[in-house]
Amino acid sequence: MINTEGRLTAYPFVLLSELRDAANEHGYRIGPEEAGGWIFFRSASAPGEIGLAAASASGPFFLSVMLQGVSRALDAQPTTPWAKGHAGAFMFATRDDLHAGVQAVYRLSVSLPNFPLEKYEKAVAGIGETEGERAQKFRIGQNIFRDALMEYWNGSCPLSGISSPDLLRASHMMPWSDCATDAQRLDVHNGLLLSALWDAAFDAGLVTFDDAGMVLTSAHLEGAAREALAVNEAPTLALRDEHRPYLAYHRNHVWTRG
């Protein structure tokens, strides 16, 4: 525990239990291990490790993240120092904020590029290259890609807010068949989790997005479709630099501007 003078002291049982709950409830159930004032947890289903700490039972609370990609993507207040071997640390004012932070780390950990690719490579190991086997690989890859997007976009379409899984589609910016490598096909930054209508419009090149995440429409998008999509009310997508090359490809090769 970090005390008011910045020195480390032992965690009381109640506070240790609260930190354990924050980890266990969001997928980190291996641990705890304590070192350097941090309580470490790992997950059987997500890569990497997290460290939790607190200044007192009432906060603030701290979360240290091992994975560089997750540290870059996490929308939280950065702080220092972080645990040895980790990529960054973040501070949270309340227990609820800490829980949300741990949940976001898990979600990002299972959706960032390396993990879906590793899952795919393990799943298709030993599958050959006949037409039927290639179709099998495609289905496996699409399912892994969809699962990754469900995690990355927190289970809802960022444009419509729809969260019913049956109405959501995994949309590639650079189409599967145009990708040069499996790494591109399984890269979560090459995808959007869209409601069925938005997915159809995006796949047909009737809508796309600029580098700021603003929707762009084709001249071929009819008025009824524009109204059903609520294009004028569509929010700006929260994009990272990794999304932008794929979106540029979509604008240049899929979108029909005029």
Side-chain angles (χ1 to χ4, degrees), residues 14-51:
V14 172
L15 182 50
L16 180 60
S17 295
E18 290 182 353
L19 296 179
R20 183 188 292 114
D21 289 345
N24 292 174
E25 289 178 16
H26 304 292
Y28 293 92
R29 301 184 180 93
I30 302 173
E33 298 175 1
E34 186 171 356
W38 294 95
I39 309 298
F40 295 99
F41 299 87
R42 290 175 289 116
S43 171
S45 54
E49 171 189 74
I50 63 168

Side-chain angles (χ1 to χ4, degrees), residues 130-150:
T130 67
E131 183 176 349
E133 288 170 323
R134 286 196 298 271
Q136 183 183 2
K137 287 182 177 180
F138 174 78
R139 289 192 296 272
I140 291 170
Q142 289 283 17
N143 287 336
I144 291 174
F145 185 66
R146 174 185 168 84
D147 289 345
L149 287 180
M150 287 288 288

Side-chain angles (χ1 to χ4, degrees), residues 28 155-156 162 184 222 257:
Y28 293 92
S156 66
I162 289 174
Q184 289 181 332
E222 66 179 17
R257 182 189 301 266

Side-chain angles (χ1 to χ4, degrees), residues 38 50-53 61-65 74 88-90 92 98 101-102 105:
W38 294 95
I50 63 168
L52 300 181
F61 301 91
F62 304 91
L63 169 61
S64 185
V65 179
L74 189 63
F90 302 86
F92 302 90
L98 177 65
V102 175
V105 168

Side-chain angles (χ1 to χ4, degrees), residues 98-258:
L98 177 65
H99 276 255
V102 175
Q103 183 180 43
V105 168
Y106 180 88
R107 176 170 52 82
L108 290 168
S109 296
V110 299
S111 64
L112 291 179
N114 289 346
F115 193 61
L117 178 61
E118 290 172 5
K119 286 181 64 176
Y120 174 74
E121 289 175 340
K122 289 179 181 177
V124 302
I127 300 177
E129 288 297 329
T130 67
E131 183 176 349
E133 288 170 323
R134 286 196 298 271
Q136 183 183 2
K137 287 182 177 180
F138 174 78
R139 289 192 296 272
I140 291 170
Q142 289 283 17
N143 287 336
I144 291 174
F145 185 66
R146 174 185 168 84
D147 289 345
L149 287 180
M150 287 288 288
E151 294 290 349
Y152 185 89
W153 293 101
N154 205 21
S156 66
C157 170
L159 299 165
S160 66
I162 289 174
S163 58
S164 173
D166 290 339
L167 298 177
L168 296 174
R169 304 290 183 268
S171 302
H172 274 88
M173 301 174 190
M174 178 186 290
W176 180 281
S177 59
D178 292 355
C179 293
T181 65
D182 288 335
Q184 289 181 332
R185 295 183 181 103
L186 277 298
D187 187 349
V188 72
H189 298 110
N190 185 21
L192 296 171
L193 185 68
L194 299 178
S195 61
L197 185 58
W198 272 101
D199 169 69
F202 188 70
D203 189 57
L206 296 174
V207 297
T208 192
F209 302 90
D210 65 17
D211 280 345
M214 297 289 292
V215 64
L216 302 173
T217 60
S218 166
H220 299 286
L221 184 67
E222 66 179 17
R226 181 185 294 270
E227 184 175 347
L229 291 167
V231 167
N232 293 337
E233 289 78 44
T236 301
L237 288 177
L239 298 176
R240 299 190 57 77
D241 288 342
E242 293 87 345
H243 289 109
R244 294 184 175 95
Y246 292 116
L247 269 178
Y249 186 94
H250 188 271
R251 289 195 300 271
N252 293 330
H253 298 280
V254 180
W255 183 44
T256 53
R257 182 189 301 266

